[in-house]
Amino acid sequence: MPLPIFPVHEFNPQAIKADVTVAEISGGTSLSGLEDVILTDGGGKWDITYSGITLRTPRQIRLWDMWTSFMAGNVFLVPLVSLRTAPRPSAGGGLARVSQLYANDPDYPTVVRYASPYIVAQLVEPIPLRATQMAINVAQGARIQGGERFSINGRAFKIERVLSRSEQTATVRTSPPSREAIGAGAAVNFEWPVVQCRRVPGQDLAANLTMSRYGEVAISFVEDFSDAN
């Protein structure tokens, strides 16, 4: 069953912090003073925080309460909201405009995308488990430059650097490492990339409503594929 996507487009946070964080421990220091660093989380996990969410309408307050209830003990998909740095197509000397955002359900969508395809891309070759290199063809959009973020089947990546390119196909180094093998032809989502997450435990998510009408909230998520292990 498809996982629901957190409806960030309904909440419009003022600030979004999303990146791969890596857990490191010291492996000890040699007699020459060199310190080894050991990665303990397989290359990092996505951490995402939405802040400055103002609940202004009864609809937003209800939706917030629905999701704070649903999130307990569940995993779901969380958008990176990274279209600004994506390989966006050009039109008329500038960036092409996006169409309206489409969601297949107002409360618990499992599909969120632009009504008309904006960026179309796919993997050129299959990648194995733990891969950090991919060949991506952008059939509709600009050439990949590096620093873009994307997702494939609910697993998110960021492009560290472009290793080589041929027209609209780029071979890139990515992080974190792939947690599964992915076949050639898989769709690469630059438009509305998402990653499977859970909410970070211990947060106070209750909306403190002024005059019972509006209030500001924030929420943090962490990548979680424990159900797939």
Side-chain angles (χ1 to χ4, degrees), residues 82-142:
S82 54
L83 180 65
R84 187 179 183 188
T85 57
R88 301 175 62 179
S90 299
L95 293 174
R97 291 186 177 183
V98 296
S99 58
Q100 289 187 335
L101 203 63
Y102 163 80
N104 67 341
D105 186 271
D107 303 323
Y108 294 99
T110 56
V111 175
V112 179
R113 57 174 172 77
Y114 291 100
S116 298
Y118 188 58
I119 303 170
V120 178
Q122 63 181 18
L123 281 183
V124 176
E125 302 170 346
I127 61 169
L129 173 70
R130 305 292 301 161
T132 56
Q133 186 170 308
M134 307 182 189
I136 301 173
N137 176 260
V138 180
Q140 179 175 309

Tab-separated table of all heavy atoms in Angstrom, residues 82-142:
chain	number	residue	atom	x	y	z
A	82	SER	N	12.616	20.983	-2.953
A	82	SER	CA	13.900	21.445	-3.483
A	82	SER	C	13.830	21.816	-4.966
A	82	SER	O	14.844	21.737	-5.670
A	82	SER	CB	14.960	20.354	-3.277
A	82	SER	OG	14.541	19.120	-3.835
A	83	LEU	N	12.657	22.211	-5.436
A	83	LEU	CA	12.501	22.522	-6.855
A	83	LEU	C	13.417	23.659	-7.305
A	83	LEU	O	13.886	23.670	-8.444
A	83	LEU	CB	11.042	22.881	-7.160
A	83	LEU	CG	10.729	23.224	-8.618
A	83	LEU	CD1	10.949	22.006	-9.517
A	83	LEU	CD2	9.294	23.741	-8.764
A	84	ARG	N	13.709	24.601	-6.433
A	84	ARG	CA	14.499	25.772	-6.834
A	84	ARG	C	15.869	25.396	-7.391
A	84	ARG	O	16.388	26.057	-8.290
A	84	ARG	CB	14.655	26.727	-5.641
A	84	ARG	CG	15.317	28.036	-6.014
A	84	ARG	CD	15.435	28.977	-4.844
A	84	ARG	NE	16.008	30.254	-5.251
A	84	ARG	CZ	16.374	31.208	-4.412
A	84	ARG	NH1	16.221	31.020	-3.115
A	84	ARG	NH2	16.901	32.333	-4.849
A	85	THR	N	16.473	24.323	-6.864
A	85	THR	CA	17.796	23.917	-7.336
A	85	THR	C	17.741	22.735	-8.290
A	85	THR	O	18.778	22.187	-8.662
A	85	THR	CB	18.701	23.559	-6.142
A	85	THR	OG1	18.064	22.525	-5.357
A	85	THR	CG2	18.949	24.776	-5.271
A	86	ALA	N	16.558	22.331	-8.688
A	86	ALA	CA	16.394	21.207	-9.612
A	86	ALA	C	16.767	21.633	-11.034
A	86	ALA	O	16.839	22.834	-11.336
A	86	ALA	CB	14.956	20.710	-9.567
A	87	PRO	N	16.992	20.679	-11.936
A	87	PRO	CA	17.301	21.018	-13.332
A	87	PRO	C	16.040	21.455	-14.086
A	87	PRO	O	15.456	20.705	-14.865
A	87	PRO	CB	17.884	19.708	-13.884
A	87	PRO	CG	17.240	18.639	-13.077
A	87	PRO	CD	17.067	19.219	-11.693
A	88	ARG	N	15.624	22.680	-13.863
A	88	ARG	CA	14.352	23.186	-14.390
A	88	ARG	C	14.468	23.542	-15.872
A	88	ARG	O	15.488	24.093	-16.316
A	88	ARG	CB	13.897	24.400	-13.588
A	88	ARG	CG	13.704	24.111	-12.118
A	88	ARG	CD	13.376	25.348	-11.321
A	88	ARG	NE	12.118	25.946	-11.757
A	88	ARG	CZ	11.588	27.039	-11.193
A	88	ARG	NH1	12.218	27.651	-10.208
A	88	ARG	NH2	10.446	27.516	-11.638
A	89	PRO	N	13.438	23.272	-16.649
A	89	PRO	CA	13.469	23.606	-18.078
A	89	PRO	C	13.352	25.104	-18.309
A	89	PRO	O	12.844	25.852	-17.454
A	89	PRO	CB	12.244	22.863	-18.632
A	89	PRO	CG	11.319	22.741	-17.466
A	89	PRO	CD	12.187	22.580	-16.263
A	90	SER	N	13.825	25.536	-19.461
A	90	SER	CA	13.769	26.947	-19.842
A	90	SER	C	12.701	27.169	-20.891
A	90	SER	O	12.355	26.275	-21.661
A	90	SER	CB	15.125	27.415	-20.381
A	90	SER	OG	16.130	27.277	-19.406
A	91	ALA	N	12.185	28.399	-20.918
A	91	ALA	CA	11.194	28.794	-21.926
A	91	ALA	C	11.218	30.311	-22.064
A	91	ALA	O	11.164	31.028	-21.053
A	91	ALA	CB	9.792	28.313	-21.533
A	92	GLY	N	11.335	30.794	-23.297
A	92	GLY	CA	11.287	32.231	-23.545
A	92	GLY	C	12.384	33.022	-22.869
A	92	GLY	O	12.167	34.146	-22.423
A	93	GLY	N	13.575	32.443	-22.763
A	93	GLY	CA	14.687	33.167	-22.168
A	93	GLY	C	14.747	33.073	-20.651
A	93	GLY	O	15.633	33.663	-20.041
A	94	GLY	N	13.825	32.376	-20.022
A	94	GLY	CA	13.841	32.217	-18.563
A	94	GLY	C	13.388	30.820	-18.186
A	94	GLY	O	13.254	29.937	-19.033
A	95	LEU	N	13.159	30.629	-16.917
A	95	LEU	CA	12.694	29.330	-16.453
A	95	LEU	C	11.230	29.120	-16.824
A	95	LEU	O	10.414	30.051	-16.721
A	95	LEU	CB	12.861	29.216	-14.935
A	95	LEU	CG	14.295	29.182	-14.406
A	95	LEU	CD1	14.304	29.212	-12.889
A	95	LEU	CD2	15.024	27.947	-14.923
A	96	ALA	N	10.915	27.929	-17.265
A	96	ALA	CA	9.521	27.608	-17.568
A	96	ALA	C	8.705	27.594	-16.282
A	96	ALA	O	9.182	27.179	-15.223
A	96	ALA	CB	9.437	26.249	-18.259
A	97	ARG	N	7.480	28.052	-16.371
A	97	ARG	CA	6.609	28.067	-15.199
A	97	ARG	C	6.055	26.678	-14.929
A	97	ARG	O	5.825	25.898	-15.845
A	97	ARG	CB	5.450	29.044	-15.415
A	97	ARG	CG	5.875	30.514	-15.450
A	97	ARG	CD	4.660	31.415	-15.508
A	97	ARG	NE	5.029	32.821	-15.482
A	97	ARG	CZ	4.147	33.820	-15.465
A	97	ARG	NH1	2.844	33.545	-15.497
A	97	ARG	NH2	4.567	35.065	-15.433
A	98	VAL	N	5.850	26.404	-13.661
A	98	VAL	CA	5.246	25.129	-13.286
A	98	VAL	C	3.727	25.260	-13.340
A	98	VAL	O	3.170	26.354	-13.205
A	98	VAL	CB	5.671	24.695	-11.870
A	98	VAL	CG1	7.159	24.445	-11.828
A	98	VAL	CG2	5.270	25.739	-10.835
A	99	SER	N	3.067	24.130	-13.530
A	99	SER	CA	1.607	24.106	-13.474
A	99	SER	C	1.181	24.002	-12.009
A	99	SER	O	2.016	23.971	-11.095
A	99	SER	CB	1.065	22.922	-14.274
A	99	SER	OG	1.592	21.703	-13.771
A	100	GLN	N	-0.112	23.933	-11.765
A	100	GLN	CA	-0.600	23.801	-10.406
A	100	GLN	C	-0.194	22.449	-9.821
A	100	GLN	O	-0.048	21.455	-10.527
A	100	GLN	CB	-2.118	23.947	-10.367
A	100	GLN	CG	-2.615	25.366	-10.632
A	100	GLN	CD	-4.116	25.484	-10.413
A	100	GLN	OE1	-4.853	24.505	-10.525
A	100	GLN	NE2	-4.563	26.683	-10.091
A	101	LEU	N	-0.011	22.454	-8.500
A	101	LEU	CA	0.320	21.214	-7.821
A	101	LEU	C	-0.929	20.350	-7.711
A	101	LEU	O	-2.018	20.831	-7.392
A	101	LEU	CB	0.874	21.530	-6.433
A	101	LEU	CG	1.763	20.475	-5.770
A	101	LEU	CD1	3.030	20.246	-6.587
A	101	LEU	CD2	2.124	20.922	-4.359
A	102	TYR	N	-0.751	19.066	-7.997
A	102	TYR	CA	-1.859	18.111	-7.933
A	102	TYR	C	-1.613	17.133	-6.796
A	102	TYR	O	-0.500	16.605	-6.648
A	102	TYR	CB	-1.977	17.341	-9.245
A	102	TYR	CG	-2.806	16.076	-9.136
A	102	TYR	CD1	-4.202	16.116	-9.155
A	102	TYR	CD2	-2.179	14.834	-8.983
A	102	TYR	CE1	-4.952	14.950	-9.039
A	102	TYR	CE2	-2.924	13.667	-8.878
A	102	TYR	CZ	-4.303	13.738	-8.901
A	102	TYR	OH	-5.037	12.584	-8.770
A	103	ALA	N	-2.615	16.885	-5.969
A	103	ALA	CA	-2.571	15.864	-4.932
A	103	ALA	C	-3.811	15.004	-5.073
A	103	ALA	O	-4.919	15.532	-5.280
A	103	ALA	CB	-2.513	16.500	-3.541
A	104	ASN	N	-3.645	13.687	-4.965
A	104	ASN	CA	-4.777	12.791	-5.212
A	104	ASN	C	-5.716	12.642	-4.013
A	104	ASN	O	-6.721	11.943	-4.107
A	104	ASN	CB	-4.287	11.419	-5.679
A	104	ASN	CG	-3.529	10.666	-4.594
A	104	ASN	OD1	-3.063	11.256	-3.621
A	104	ASN	ND2	-3.400	9.365	-4.764
A	105	ASP	N	-5.379	13.279	-2.894
A	105	ASP	CA	-6.260	13.276	-1.728
A	105	ASP	C	-5.986	14.553	-0.935
A	105	ASP	O	-4.812	14.944	-0.803
A	105	ASP	CB	-6.008	12.043	-0.855
A	105	ASP	CG	-7.001	11.925	0.291
A	105	ASP	OD1	-6.737	12.479	1.381
A	105	ASP	OD2	-8.056	11.289	0.099
A	106	PRO	N	-7.004	15.215	-0.413
A	106	PRO	CA	-6.772	16.483	0.279
A	106	PRO	C	-6.076	16.335	1.631
A	106	PRO	O	-5.429	17.273	2.100
A	106	PRO	CB	-8.188	17.054	0.458
A	106	PRO	CG	-9.083	15.860	0.437
A	106	PRO	CD	-8.443	14.898	-0.515
A	107	ASP	N	-6.211	15.163	2.271
A	107	ASP	CA	-5.675	14.978	3.624
A	107	ASP	C	-4.475	14.049	3.685
A	107	ASP	O	-3.467	14.354	4.320
A	107	ASP	CB	-6.780	14.442	4.550
A	107	ASP	CG	-8.000	15.334	4.587
A	107	ASP	OD1	-7.838	16.569	4.539
A	107	ASP	OD2	-9.127	14.795	4.651
A	108	TYR	N	-4.586	12.896	3.035
A	108	TYR	CA	-3.530	11.886	3.045
A	108	TYR	C	-3.168	11.492	1.614
A	108	TYR	O	-3.418	10.377	1.176
A	108	TYR	CB	-3.967	10.652	3.832
A	108	TYR	CG	-4.162	10.903	5.310
A	108	TYR	CD1	-5.433	11.124	5.824
A	108	TYR	CD2	-3.081	10.909	6.186
A	108	TYR	CE1	-5.622	11.351	7.182
A	108	TYR	CE2	-3.251	11.135	7.543
A	108	TYR	CZ	-4.528	11.358	8.038
A	108	TYR	OH	-4.710	11.585	9.377
A	109	PRO	N	-2.567	12.413	0.854
A	109	PRO	CA	-2.236	12.080	-0.536
A	109	PRO	C	-1.135	11.030	-0.617
A	109	PRO	O	-0.217	11.000	0.211
A	109	PRO	CB	-1.763	13.422	-1.104
A	109	PRO	CG	-1.230	14.157	0.087
A	109	PRO	CD	-2.120	13.759	1.234
A	110	THR	N	-1.226	10.181	-1.601
A	110	THR	CA	-0.145	9.243	-1.912
A	110	THR	C	0.564	9.647	-3.204
A	110	THR	O	1.585	9.061	-3.561
A	110	THR	CB	-0.683	7.804	-2.047
A	110	THR	OG1	-1.710	7.777	-3.045
A	110	THR	CG2	-1.260	7.320	-0.717
A	111	VAL	N	-0.001	10.633	-3.897
A	111	VAL	CA	0.614	11.198	-5.098
A	111	VAL	C	0.552	12.720	-4.986
A	111	VAL	O	-0.527	13.292	-4.783
A	111	VAL	CB	-0.123	10.759	-6.383
A	111	VAL	CG1	0.484	11.464	-7.603
A	111	VAL	CG2	-0.066	9.256	-6.563
A	112	VAL	N	1.707	13.367	-5.076
A	112	VAL	CA	1.781	14.830	-5.156
A	112	VAL	C	2.749	15.147	-6.290
A	112	VAL	O	3.896	14.696	-6.279
A	112	VAL	CB	2.263	15.469	-3.844
A	112	VAL	CG1	2.344	16.990	-4.009
A	112	VAL	CG2	1.339	15.126	-2.687
A	113	ARG	N	2.277	15.904	-7.264
A	113	ARG	CA	3.105	16.242	-8.424
A	113	ARG	C	2.506	17.470	-9.090
A	113	ARG	O	1.422	17.930	-8.717
A	113	ARG	CB	3.128	15.075	-9.417
A	113	ARG	CG	1.760	14.641	-9.896
A	113	ARG	CD	1.821	13.583	-10.980
A	113	ARG	NE	0.533	13.025	-11.322
A	113	ARG	CZ	-0.393	13.623	-12.071
A	113	ARG	NH1	-0.150	14.828	-12.574
A	113	ARG	NH2	-1.537	13.022	-12.337
A	114	TYR	N	3.220	17.987	-10.078
A	114	TYR	CA	2.663	19.083	-10.864
A	114	TYR	C	1.714	18.506	-11.907
A	114	TYR	O	1.938	17.413	-12.443
A	114	TYR	CB	3.776	19.916	-11.493
A	114	TYR	CG	4.528	20.691	-10.437
A	114	TYR	CD1	5.749	20.243	-9.951
A	114	TYR	CD2	3.966	21.845	-9.884
A	114	TYR	CE1	6.409	20.939	-8.946
A	114	TYR	CE2	4.628	22.541	-8.892
A	114	TYR	CZ	5.838	22.080	-8.419
A	114	TYR	OH	6.469	22.754	-7.410
A	115	ALA	N	0.624	19.211	-12.147
A	115	ALA	CA	-0.425	18.699	-13.028
A	115	ALA	C	0.118	18.336	-14.400
A	115	ALA	O	-0.289	17.338	-15.000
A	115	ALA	CB	-1.560	19.718	-13.138
A	116	SER	N	1.042	19.148	-14.906
A	116	SER	CA	1.735	18.834	-16.161
A	116	SER	C	3.181	18.488	-15.833
A	116	SER	O	3.822	19.203	-15.049
A	116	SER	CB	1.700	20.027	-17.126
A	116	SER	OG	0.371	20.340	-17.482
A	117	PRO	N	3.711	17.405	-16.392
A	117	PRO	CA	5.101	17.039	-16.089
A	117	PRO	C	6.047	18.204	-16.346
A	117	PRO	O	5.989	18.857	-17.387
A	117	PRO	CB	5.371	15.875	-17.045
A	117	PRO	CG	4.018	15.288	-17.314
A	117	PRO	CD	3.074	16.444	-17.321
A	118	TYR	N	6.924	18.470	-15.383
A	118	TYR	CA	7.821	19.623	-15.459
A	118	TYR	C	9.260	19.179	-15.721
A	118	TYR	O	9.927	19.686	-16.615
A	118	TYR	CB	7.720	20.413	-14.159
A	118	TYR	CG	8.434	21.736	-14.160
A	118	TYR	CD1	8.121	22.722	-15.096
A	118	TYR	CD2	9.414	22.017	-13.215
A	118	TYR	CE1	8.773	23.949	-15.089
A	118	TYR	CE2	10.066	23.239	-13.195
A	118	TYR	CZ	9.747	24.203	-14.140
A	118	TYR	OH	10.393	25.420	-14.139
A	119	ILE	N	9.740	18.247	-14.911
A	119	ILE	CA	11.061	17.663	-15.108
A	119	ILE	C	10.887	16.155	-15.235
A	119	ILE	O	10.291	15.532	-14.362
A	119	ILE	CB	12.015	17.983	-13.943
A	119	ILE	CG1	12.128	19.492	-13.742
A	119	ILE	CG2	13.389	17.369	-14.188
A	119	ILE	CD1	12.848	19.873	-12.460
A	120	VAL	N	11.384	15.586	-16.318
A	120	VAL	CA	11.270	14.147	-16.548
A	120	VAL	C	12.679	13.572	-16.630
A	120	VAL	O	13.496	14.010	-17.452
A	120	VAL	CB	10.497	13.843	-17.850
A	120	VAL	CG1	10.426	12.342	-18.086
A	120	VAL	CG2	9.101	14.456	-17.800
A	121	ALA	N	12.977	12.604	-15.750
A	121	ALA	CA	14.321	12.023	-15.718
A	121	ALA	C	14.229	10.565	-15.301
A	121	ALA	O	13.257	10.142	-14.672
A	121	ALA	CB	15.219	12.791	-14.754
A	122	GLN	N	15.261	9.796	-15.653
A	122	GLN	CA	15.277	8.386	-15.289
A	122	GLN	C	16.713	7.876	-15.202
A	122	GLN	O	17.641	8.490	-15.748
A	122	GLN	CB	14.509	7.548	-16.306
A	122	GLN	CG	15.087	7.571	-17.705
A	122	GLN	CD	14.265	6.741	-18.683
A	122	GLN	OE1	13.118	6.420	-18.428
A	122	GLN	NE2	14.871	6.391	-19.803
A	123	LEU	N	16.866	6.764	-14.487
A	123	LEU	CA	18.163	6.108	-14.410
A	123	LEU	C	18.493	5.461	-15.753
A	123	LEU	O	17.652	4.800	-16.351
A	123	LEU	CB	18.159	5.027	-13.332
A	123	LEU	CG	18.304	5.443	-11.869
A	123	LEU	CD1	18.337	4.202	-10.989
A	123	LEU	CD2	19.554	6.275	-11.648
A	124	VAL	N	19.726	5.630	-16.200
A	124	VAL	CA	20.155	5.044	-17.466
A	124	VAL	C	20.574	3.593	-17.275
A	124	VAL	O	20.304	2.742	-18.123
A	124	VAL	CB	21.312	5.859	-18.061
A	124	VAL	CG1	21.846	5.199	-19.325
A	124	VAL	CG2	20.857	7.284	-18.359
A	125	GLU	N	21.207	3.301	-16.144
A	125	GLU	CA	21.724	1.962	-15.869
A	125	GLU	C	21.263	1.518	-14.482
A	125	GLU	O	20.998	2.353	-13.620
A	125	GLU	CB	23.255	1.958	-15.921
A	125	GLU	CG	23.830	2.422	-17.255
A	125	GLU	CD	25.339	2.626	-17.177
A	125	GLU	OE1	25.861	2.657	-16.042
A	125	GLU	OE2	25.968	2.756	-18.241
A	126	PRO	N	21.177	0.219	-14.250
A	126	PRO	CA	20.845	-0.254	-12.904
A	126	PRO	C	21.962	0.091	-11.929
A	126	PRO	O	23.128	0.200	-12.314
A	126	PRO	CB	20.695	-1.770	-13.083
A	126	PRO	CG	21.522	-2.093	-14.280
A	126	PRO	CD	21.417	-0.903	-15.188
A	127	ILE	N	21.603	0.255	-10.662
A	127	ILE	CA	22.619	0.501	-9.636
A	127	ILE	C	22.486	-0.570	-8.555
A	127	ILE	O	21.384	-1.007	-8.227
A	127	ILE	CB	22.497	1.910	-9.025
A	127	ILE	CG1	21.140	2.099	-8.344
A	127	ILE	CG2	22.709	2.975	-10.078
A	127	ILE	CD1	21.060	3.355	-7.504
A	128	PRO	N	23.602	-0.991	-7.992
A	128	PRO	CA	23.559	-2.021	-6.958
A	128	PRO	C	23.326	-1.419	-5.576
A	128	PRO	O	23.354	-0.194	-5.387
A	128	PRO	CB	24.954	-2.649	-7.050
A	128	PRO	CG	25.827	-1.499	-7.461
A	128	PRO	CD	24.980	-0.655	-8.395
A	129	LEU	N	23.104	-2.276	-4.617
A	129	LEU	CA	23.047	-1.868	-3.218
A	129	LEU	C	24.345	-1.164	-2.838
A	129	LEU	O	25.424	-1.564	-3.267
A	129	LEU	CB	22.842	-3.114	-2.342
A	129	LEU	CG	22.911	-2.931	-0.826
A	129	LEU	CD1	21.704	-2.148	-0.338
A	129	LEU	CD2	22.983	-4.296	-0.131
A	130	ARG	N	24.222	-0.072	-2.062
A	130	ARG	CA	25.338	0.739	-1.573
A	130	ARG	C	25.997	1.580	-2.651
A	130	ARG	O	27.083	2.126	-2.453
A	130	ARG	CB	26.416	-0.147	-0.908
A	130	ARG	CG	25.911	-1.041	0.210
A	130	ARG	CD	25.485	-0.246	1.422
A	130	ARG	NE	26.566	0.550	1.957
A	130	ARG	CZ	26.419	1.599	2.761
A	130	ARG	NH1	25.200	1.998	3.091
A	130	ARG	NH2	27.433	2.267	3.226
A	131	ALA	N	25.355	1.731	-3.779
A	131	ALA	CA	25.926	2.536	-4.860
A	131	ALA	C	25.984	4.011	-4.465
A	131	ALA	O	25.092	4.533	-3.788
A	131	ALA	CB	25.101	2.379	-6.129
A	132	THR	N	27.043	4.684	-4.903
A	132	THR	CA	27.164	6.133	-4.724
A	132	THR	C	27.417	6.812	-6.071
A	132	THR	O	27.839	7.971	-6.110
A	132	THR	CB	28.320	6.468	-3.766
A	132	THR	OG1	29.534	5.888	-4.261
A	132	THR	CG2	28.030	5.953	-2.367
A	133	GLN	N	27.160	6.085	-7.145
A	133	GLN	CA	27.335	6.633	-8.489
A	133	GLN	C	26.161	6.207	-9.350
A	133	GLN	O	25.752	5.040	-9.325
A	133	GLN	CB	28.651	6.144	-9.080
A	133	GLN	CG	29.008	6.763	-10.422
A	133	GLN	CD	30.435	6.432	-10.829
A	133	GLN	OE1	31.379	6.627	-10.081
A	133	GLN	NE2	30.586	5.905	-12.039
A	134	MET	N	25.609	7.152	-10.098
A	134	MET	CA	24.443	6.883	-10.941
A	134	MET	C	24.581	7.629	-12.254
A	134	MET	O	25.193	8.706	-12.318
A	134	MET	CB	23.151	7.346	-10.269
A	134	MET	CG	22.904	6.828	-8.888
A	134	MET	SD	21.295	7.419	-8.245
A	134	MET	CE	21.430	6.890	-6.534
A	135	ALA	N	23.975	7.080	-13.296
A	135	ALA	CA	23.855	7.764	-14.579
A	135	ALA	C	22.388	8.151	-14.757
A	135	ALA	O	21.514	7.284	-14.740
A	135	ALA	CB	24.323	6.879	-15.719
A	136	ILE	N	22.131	9.439	-14.903
A	136	ILE	CA	20.764	9.962	-14.965
A	136	ILE	C	20.583	10.721	-16.276
A	136	ILE	O	21.406	11.580	-16.627
A	136	ILE	CB	20.468	10.898	-13.785
A	136	ILE	CG1	20.643	10.154	-12.450
A	136	ILE	CG2	19.072	11.494	-13.892
A	136	ILE	CD1	20.536	11.058	-11.229
A	137	ASN	N	19.499	10.425	-16.973
A	137	ASN	CA	19.152	11.159	-18.191
A	137	ASN	C	17.970	12.068	-17.897
A	137	ASN	O	16.942	11.623	-17.386
A	137	ASN	CB	18.797	10.211	-19.323
A	137	ASN	CG	18.328	10.955	-20.567
A	137	ASN	OD1	17.137	11.061	-20.831
A	137	ASN	ND2	19.263	11.497	-21.319
A	138	VAL	N	18.127	13.346	-18.210
A	138	VAL	CA	17.040	14.315	-18.054
A	138	VAL	C	16.394	14.504	-19.419
A	138	VAL	O	16.931	15.188	-20.285
A	138	VAL	CB	17.551	15.655	-17.496
A	138	VAL	CG1	16.397	16.643	-17.347
A	138	VAL	CG2	18.248	15.450	-16.151
A	139	ALA	N	15.249	13.871	-19.618
A	139	ALA	CA	14.567	13.948	-20.910
A	139	ALA	C	13.851	15.279	-21.088
A	139	ALA	O	13.686	15.765	-22.205
A	139	ALA	CB	13.572	12.794	-21.039
A	140	GLN	N	13.417	15.870	-19.981
A	140	GLN	CA	12.755	17.184	-20.018
A	140	GLN	C	13.284	17.994	-18.847
A	140	GLN	O	13.047	17.678	-17.692
A	140	GLN	CB	11.238	17.018	-19.901
A	140	GLN	CG	10.465	18.343	-19.902
A	140	GLN	CD	8.969	18.109	-19.907
A	140	GLN	OE1	8.452	17.361	-20.732
A	140	GLN	NE2	8.261	18.741	-18.982
A	141	GLY	N	14.026	19.036	-19.157
A	141	GLY	CA	14.643	19.846	-18.123
A	141	GLY	C	16.044	20.251	-18.530
A	141	GLY	O	16.499	19.952	-19.635
A	142	ALA	N	16.749	20.905	-17.613
A	142	ALA	CA	18.109	21.366	-17.882
A	142	ALA	C	19.119	20.272	-17.574
A	142	ALA	O	18.789	19.240	-16.996
A	142	ALA	CB	18.402	22.608	-17.039
